[in-house]
Amino acid sequence: MSELTTEQLRRVCDPARDELRGTADLAPIDGIVGQPRAALALQLGLGVPDGGFNIYVAGPSGVGKMSAIRASLASEAVRHATPPDLVCVNHVADPTRPLILELPPGRGRALQRDVATLVAHLRRDVPRAFESDDYTGRREALIGEVTRRRDAALTALDARANAVGYGLQVTATGIALIPTIGGRPLNEAEYQSLPASARDDMLRRREALEAELKATLKQIRADERATTERLTALDRQVAAAVVDGAVDDVRDDYADLPAVVAFLAALHHDVLERLALFRGEAPPPDAGPAAGLLLERAFRSYQVNLLVDNSAAVGAPVIVEHHPTYANLFGRIEKESVMGALSTDFTMITAGALQRANGGYLVLPVEELLRNPFSWESLKRALRSRQLQIEEPAEAAGMPSIRTLRPQPIAAQVKVVLVGSPALYQLLYAADDSFAELFKVKAEFETTMPWSAEHCAVFQRVLATLCRDGGVRQLDADAVARLLEVAVREAGDREQISTRFGALGDVLREADYWAASAGAAQIRGADVLQALQQRVVRNGMARARLADALHDGRLHIATDGAVVGQVNGLAVLSTGADTFGQPSRISVSVAPGRDGLIDIEREAETGGPSHTRGVLILGGALARRYGAAGPVTMSARLVFEQSYGGVDGDSASAAELCALLSALADLPLRQSVALTGSVDQLGRIQAIGGVNEKIEGFFALCQVRGLDGHHGAIIPQANVRQLMLDPAVVAAVAAGQFHVWAASTIDDVLAVLVDGDVTTLDERVRQRLAHYRSLVAER
């Protein structure tokens, strides 16, 4: 047992204060700080190009995972070549399967611009070519020639028909043979009045003429088809004079890209096949207002849809997708309403994060990834197949879907970095067989780094970085020291420094506000203290209400005198934004009986499993200490008085054992001393959590009631290195008004609480247990 001295309780950074500097003259630091294992894992994951060496970055929030990943990937990305641009173009042979072309960085936008200029040029110049006198003359000549031949053939046929009593009449369904007499057509009544022999003769002549008419019309149609082909050839010839040169000029600029050359050749052919579109022929009068819209939609087939533009990129891309829905990851095929129906085309295809990151790195929060339907399974499928396919989510899930586009897939060359908690890593590793195959590298971020001169210097540069990135004032040396104290206390170990830089950044920004309010040029130590104090005030409603209840007696906690079977335990309460210590009154009553030790919290179902376990261990310690003389026969009841919110944890088991021994020995325990620590069956005091908050919670109560030099707290010896107490506590210890003892065994604790010889207590406990055994035996 030892009482801790002021030197032992000194703030850990006090000896290093003279070596700390302000941040104004410190260079910021980027990359992974204080995480050697994570840095090594990231180096491996980024260095191995393929084979499933994607990375899972594990660690709690606030340790700077995302900032470190960004910095590491940025430094790695500049060492690699910039990936190609991706463009989507119409597939003339099958418009439902658009083509995706890869072009050197910057040339995708150039192609988009060049093709748009080409189409605009053709829309302007092709109609002009068809307005020339030469074209008009040649077209009219072809049409005139076929018209003359048709008229001549029909005139000759009409003459032959007239010679045998028939004439030609043009009807809505074609050319008909009409019987005549004296050049006048016969009506039905006149025809029926003819003798039967005359009608039979006319039928024979009609059959002969019909065969000749059929042959003549067939010849006319063949002639017209030939003329149409000649007109089409003429149109193509005239248009080619404009189109060939324009397309060739663009094609020459991309002669080194066979895929682009093939696309331009298909575009060339399609333009000549759809000359009516470029000639700007007026829509029919009844086409309505949709005619213009449909015309512009028709020209979309010649656009170049720039999916990924790497023209401004330097090195490999680093894409962070915070909302990894299926569409955000893999791209989407958008739709629009046209005349009341949904329609789409290749220009409405957009790239996802995977396409933008292809050839580089994609960072994804794994929790968000798992939360979005289809995203996780589709990502694994893409990494296994090494193909990126833009498709409807329903298709990806194997469900029926309406007919839509299915663009050409591209080769996947992306390194995926998942960021999440260690628990999710374990879950995926155990539940998903393909996870370990695809994510072979785990980079785990720790919450602390060892205290050393080197890490103190690194810590100061981290603060300089937070000042730079947060746009706040620089810190003076005292402010650096205060924040270092915050980091050590957050680490829960005097020999560690917390790497939860996100939380430090929040304190820094609040301190900057108070520095600005005071008109200070730099953030001072006083500003950091004020920020911390204001946090307690702002978030401390529960703490204040508890203090009021203790002050007015609604919660009874004695801080003077001595009571049999009662001890002050220490607990930690958290409201999320505020964590503070709370003293708890623990009492035990004993009587003869065979019930053993009854945990009222357990019986009332207000005790958690850890507390129940601690009580059972306490019973084992009691049996080991006093069971040699016979069975430990008693009925004891243990309870946390005025505890209504439930009890869990085993950090009160040492206090509970002390209260039980006090009740058995009928020796009072000092109420001016509070106790925390768990006990094992050998009576050793074990480490607990929240040691600083527990001491400070009891100190605050004693301070309000008046310190008299008898107050103090007992903690496990193993927790001494976790002490980072409030300066007010340290000052009270230095003045002899408050005490902190470190205990290794239950005897150490009893020596303080009973303020006497522990041997006497043991003897009285044995006597009481022997008395109980005899009473029970007599019943």
Side-chain angles (χ1 to χ4, degrees):
M1 181 69 171
S2 62
E3 181 176 353
L4 301 182
T5 65
T6 306
E7 184 64 27
Q8 290 174 296
L9 297 179
R10 286 184 67 190
R11 307 286 279 186
V12 67
C13 62
D14 287 347
R17 187 177 294 274
D18 293 340
E19 301 175 9
L20 298 176
R21 301 158 55 191
T23 58
D25 56 348
L26 293 177
I29 187 171
D30 293 312
I32 301 178
V33 177
Q35 304 283 352
R37 295 184 183 87
L40 184 62
L42 279 174
Q43 182 181 2
L44 171 67
L46 298 178
V48 179
D50 211 336
F53 278 79
N54 298 295
I55 305 169
Y56 187 104
V57 178
S61 61
V63 296
K65 299 189 300 296
M66 195 61 72
S67 299
I69 292 168
R70 286 179 186 270
S72 299
L73 293 182
S75 62
E76 179 70 18
V78 296
R79 300 170 47 206
H80 298 274
T82 303
D85 294 343
L86 296 179
V87 300
C88 184
V89 297
N90 183 38
H91 188 190
V92 175
D94 185 0
T96 64
R97 298 186 64 85
L99 303 176
I100 296 181
L101 311 181
E102 295 184 358
L103 292 86
R107 298 187 71 181
R109 184 169 294 280
L111 178 65
Q112 183 185 51
R113 181 182 60 249
D114 291 343
V115 171
T117 302
L118 169 65
V119 173
H121 169 73
L122 296 179
R123 292 184 69 175
R124 182 189 67 243
D125 291 351
V126 168
R128 292 178 181 175
F130 288 98
E131 294 171 0
S132 66
D133 294 338
D134 177 64
Y135 169 75
T136 303
R138 294 170 64 184
R139 179 179 177 81
E140 289 178 351
L142 288 173
I143 295 174
E145 182 180 350
V146 72
T147 301
R148 287 192 297 272
R149 287 199 297 269
R150 182 192 62 195
D151 292 345
L154 291 177
T155 300
L157 180 61
D158 186 49
R160 287 193 293 277
N162 289 333
V164 294
Y166 276 89
L168 299 181
Q169 183 175 354
V170 179
T171 67
T173 59
I175 298 176
L177 292 171
I178 306 299
T180 62
I181 293 179
R184 179 179 62 79
L186 290 177
N187 58 34
E188 183 65 22
E190 292 175 328
Y191 178 77
Q192 292 298 331
S193 65
L194 294 175
S197 58
R199 291 199 303 270
D200 292 342
D201 182 54
M202 291 187 75
L203 286 176
R204 286 192 297 272
R205 284 179 282 157
R206 180 187 179 90
E207 291 174 356
L209 285 173
E210 282 181 344
E212 188 175 351
L213 175 60
K214 183 178 180 180
T216 300
L217 292 177
K218 182 178 180 180
Q219 179 60 43
I220 289 173
R221 288 193 298 270
D223 200 16
E224 288 177 344
R225 284 196 298 271
T227 301
T228 300
E229 293 175 359
R230 294 173 65 188
L231 287 171
T232 301
L234 174 63
D235 289 349
R236 291 175 66 92
Q237 180 183 3
V238 172
V242 176
V243 176
D244 290 358
V247 174
D248 286 345
D249 290 343
V250 178
R251 185 186 291 131
D252 291 344
D253 293 337
Y254 299 91
D256 58 324
L257 301 174
V260 177
V261 171
F263 158 67
L264 292 173
L267 182 147
H268 184 190
H269 179 267
D270 194 60
V271 169
L272 294 178
E273 290 293 323
R274 303 170 68 194
L275 284 176
L277 180 65
F278 284 86
R279 291 178 66 174
E281 297 176 355
D286 58 350
L293 174 63
L294 296 176
L295 178 64
E296 291 306 314
R297 284 179 56 83
F299 276 108
R300 284 189 189 177
S301 62
Y302 301 109
Q303 293 181 10
V304 173
N305 181 8
L306 182 59
L307 296 177
V308 178
D309 180 15
N310 287 318
S311 57
V314 178
V318 178
I319 303 297
V320 180
E321 179 54 66
H322 293 286
H323 186 39
T325 63
Y326 177 85
N328 287 348
L329 277 180
F330 290 89
R332 55 170 54 87
I333 303 173
E334 297 177 340
K335 296 176 178 62
E336 64 181 355
S337 178
V338 180
M339 301 177 66
L342 291 179
S343 177
T344 188
D345 58 53
F346 75 96
T347 65
M348 302 174 71
I349 296 173
T350 60
L354 280 164
Q355 286 83 13
R356 297 195 305 275
N358 207 33
Y361 309 94
L362 176 60
V363 183
L364 300 172
V366 68
E367 186 172 349
E368 291 295 323
L369 180 68
L370 296 174
R371 185 177 288 124
N372 284 281
F374 311 126
S375 295
W376 173 240
E377 291 299 328
S378 297
L379 176 63
K380 292 190 297 179
R381 189 182 307 113
L383 293 177
R384 282 195 299 264
S385 65
R386 300 183 184 179
Q387 282 194 334
L388 302 180
Q389 175 72 61
I390 301 176
E391 59 185 347
E392 296 285 356
E395 288 190 64
M399 296 187 295
S401 64
I402 61 173
R403 185 180 181 188
T404 184
L405 304 180
R406 189 173 179 82
Q408 174 187 5
I410 62 173
Q413 298 174 334
V414 60
K415 179 83 69 175
V416 177
V417 180
L418 298 182
V419 182
S421 66
L424 276 178
Y425 177 88
Q426 296 296 336
L427 176 64
L428 289 170
Y429 196 92
D432 194 325
D433 293 338
S434 58
F435 175 73
E437 173 190 349
L438 296 173
F439 293 87
K440 296 181 178 178
V441 178
K442 178 187 180 185
E444 187 158 9
F445 277 64
E446 301 180 48
T447 57
T448 63
M449 58 184 177
W451 174 279
S452 67
E454 177 187 358
H455 283 157
C456 284
V458 168
F459 180 81
Q460 294 177 79
R461 291 185 61 192
V462 169
L463 295 180
T465 305
L466 293 174
C467 290
R468 177 199 65 185
D469 296 345
V472 301
R473 292 165 177 76
Q474 296 295 327
L475 301 159
D476 67 13
D478 190 36
V480 171
R482 296 297 181 187
L483 286 170
L484 183 55
E485 290 175 353
V486 172
V488 173
R489 175 153 172 156
E490 175 70 23
D493 191 326
R494 292 162 63 95
E495 297 181 13
Q496 297 286 323
I497 302 173
S498 172
T499 56
R500 292 180 180 268
F501 302 126
L504 282 176
D506 293 339
V507 176
L508 191 151
R509 282 184 284 273
E510 293 181 36
D512 180 67
Y513 168 79
W514 295 112
S517 300
Q522 289 185 315
I523 298 174
R524 306 157 300 173
D527 300 318
V528 176
L529 287 177
Q530 187 170 9
L532 296 173
Q533 292 165 358
Q534 288 296 322
R535 277 192 170 188
V536 174
V537 173
R538 188 172 66 247
N539 301 316
M541 183 175 67
R543 184 195 297 234
R545 288 184 174 178
L546 175 63
D548 291 342
L550 290 169
H551 180 69
D552 61 23
R554 282 176 290 149
L555 284 179
H556 178 63
I557 299 290
T559 55
D560 56 16
V563 179
V564 173
Q566 178 176 293
V567 69
N568 288 328
L570 295 173
V572 174
L573 297 183
S574 176
T575 61
D578 187 27
T579 302
F580 56 94
Q582 173 195 7
S584 299
R585 179 163 50 101
I586 302 171
S587 66
V588 176
S589 63
V590 295
R594 299 180 181 275
D595 295 333
L597 180 60
I598 298 175
D599 178 10
I600 294 178
E601 304 295 341
R602 179 185 180 185
E603 297 299 319
E605 298 184 351
T606 57
S610 295
H611 178 258
T612 299
R613 178 176 178 272
V615 172
L616 294 174
I617 293 174
L618 179 160
L622 183 71
R624 188 178 190 277
R625 190 176 180 110
Y626 301 108
V632 178
T633 306
M634 65 175 182
S635 290
R637 285 163 175 78
L638 181 153
V639 69
F640 276 69
E641 302 287 0
Q642 292 186 287
S643 172
Y644 309 108
V647 176
D648 201 8
D650 64 351
S651 66
S653 58
E656 293 165 337
L657 179 56
C658 289
L660 175 60
L661 295 177
S662 169
L664 288 170
D666 196 24
L667 283 177
L669 300 178
R670 291 173 58 184
Q671 302 299 292
S672 59
V673 178
L675 164 64
T676 183
S678 71
V679 66
D680 66 10
Q681 294 190 107
L682 301 180
R684 294 174 299 201
I685 306 301
Q686 301 173 130
I688 44 79
V691 64
N692 293 297
E693 290 81 1
K694 291 178 177 179
I695 295 174
E696 291 166 359
F698 188 64
F699 171 81
L701 175 61
C702 296
Q703 187 180 40
V704 169
R705 294 181 175 179
L707 296 170
D708 59 9
H710 294 93
H711 298 103
I714 304 173
I715 65 171
Q717 181 70 45
N719 283 115
V720 171
R721 63 181 285 176
Q722 277 81 48
L723 290 177
M724 278 292 294
L725 293 169
D726 186 272
V729 180
V730 178
V733 171
Q737 296 296 304
F738 193 80
H739 306 274
V740 178
W741 293 275
S744 299
T745 68
I746 197 66
D747 288 342
D748 294 339
V749 177
L750 291 170
V752 175
L753 291 178
V754 300
D755 201 15
D757 187 2
V758 176
T759 303
T760 301
L761 179 142
D762 279 339
E763 184 58 30
R764 296 186 66 162
V765 170
R766 291 189 177 91
Q767 291 175 0
R768 176 65 65 87
L769 290 175
H771 178 59
Y772 283 174
R773 279 195 297 271
S774 64
L775 290 177
V776 170
E778 293 174 358
R779 294 178 181 176

